Amino acid sequence: MRAHEAGALHGDHGNRGPAWLRTPEDVNGLVPQLWPRTVTRADAGALEIGGVSVLDLAAEYGTPAYFLDEEDLRSRCRDFASAFAGADVYYAGKSFLCKAVVKVVNEEGLFLDVCTGGELAVALAAGFPAERMGFHGNNKSLSELTRALDAGVGRIILDSFQEIDRLTALATERGVRPKVLIRVTVGVEAHTHEFIATAHEDQKFGFSLAGGAAFEAAIRVLDEGVLDLHGLHSHIGSQIFDTSGFEVATRRVVELQAQIRDARGVELAELDLGGGFGIAYTTQDDPSPAADLAKRINKIIASECDASSLKIPKLSIEPGRAIVGPSVFTLYEVGTVKDVDGIRTYVSVDGGMSDNIRTALYDASYSATLAGRKSEAPPLLARVVGKHCESGDIVVKDEFLPADVQPGDLLAVPGTGAYCRSMASNYNHVPRPPVVAVRDGASRVIVRRETEDDLLALDVG
Ligand SMILES: *Cc1c(COP(=O)(O)O)cnc(C)c1O
């Protein structure tokens, strides 16, 4: 169990203090780092996003629904672009991809990573220029590689020797010379607040550095000369708060870069350090602003390149969660409130693990607040659960809600922009919720709610 979660389970909920010290103001208050930037609580008590009350949004679009703060999303794109000026910022599409988001990412001048034919199709359908895209994946099919080449995808991140052979054959056939990066497994694993550096790298992605596969792959691509080896790539994990993992990864990748130079006299132009920058899901999380990350990462690269007498390569990064995660909250309606033998209060909402699998899948922590009104009732430590036939169907493990929370109340869970709609399922034949973008007092559906007819349309009997 992670340290911050252990705290939550014992009722010590971060800097908000234990339940008996909490006041109604705490329960009604919004901790800014958890919420999209335009979200406020109006005097009358309901949350507003982009100047629109959640009461109106719930009436118009129903619940559960994801509400995306478009201004917030754009501002986070800009934060990364300006903090990492001179670098290429690839939005990691797997965190959440739909045409409207692709357009925002494009308008804000970012690049885009996709990792399947489906993601590529969405990006192309939204008019994203293929030359600004990267294509990832440990098992890209022949047809996906073909589509990527035909579309003119700007770079393909190589993940296996078989893929080098496949892409080399396809490129030869077509007489093209695609830009490629080699994904290097550097033996650093970072998840949440901790990172570990391991000697061997037991995972499906990339070419092992320690075992020599990464060096061999680079040499093979250079010697064959069919693919245009542009640089090395490393992605060490997700929800990372501490740059020391990036530091170790950078040192190892730069050393490999120096080995390649020594062996073939080639200095690779680009260094991609991947994504994984952490965001706040609870008050325990304190993410660094993009500008601080950029400063630290650029410093690490400069000193490592200096140590190896390499020119500083062009940096690229691939944030997903840190761009779209905080831009969205999920709005639910409470259906039942159950006090179980004085042990715990279960607040059931009209969605659950089908719209947010992360709590069940990763033991992730979230927070929640009463969204449609304020309350003067004392705080109550509650667990927010979904409507699925599964006892692990938990949305928020522990949260202080006002003790008068009741059926019909609206509940908002922030930080659900990344890996929630994109990982949503139809478990129990629950149709997936819509995504509604809100900006400047206006709202529009960008992904419509699924219907039972949609579900039945696939079921051809
Ligand atoms: C998932 C992934 C990312 C994005 O990770 P976030 O935690 O969303 O920032 C970036 N690059 C690669 C290669 C990934 O697999």
Side-chain angles (χ1 to χ4, degrees), residues 49-52 438-443:
I49 174 171
V52 185
V438 190
R439 188 188 196 190
D440 291 338
S443 59

Side-chain angles (χ1 to χ4, degrees), residues 2-3 189-196 238-242 244:
R2 302 200 291 263
E189 263 203 71
H191 292 284
T192 191
H193 303 79
E194 309 275 338
F195 88 92
I196 45 168
S238 57
Q239 188 60 355
I240 303 165
F241 288 90
D242 177 352
S244 50

Side-chain angles (χ1 to χ4, degrees), residues 99-113:
K99 289 189 284 183
V101 166
V102 170
K103 285 177 192 155
V104 167
V105 167
N106 193 16
E107 284 164 17
E108 298 300 339
L110 267 48
F111 292 65
L112 176 65
D113 267 346

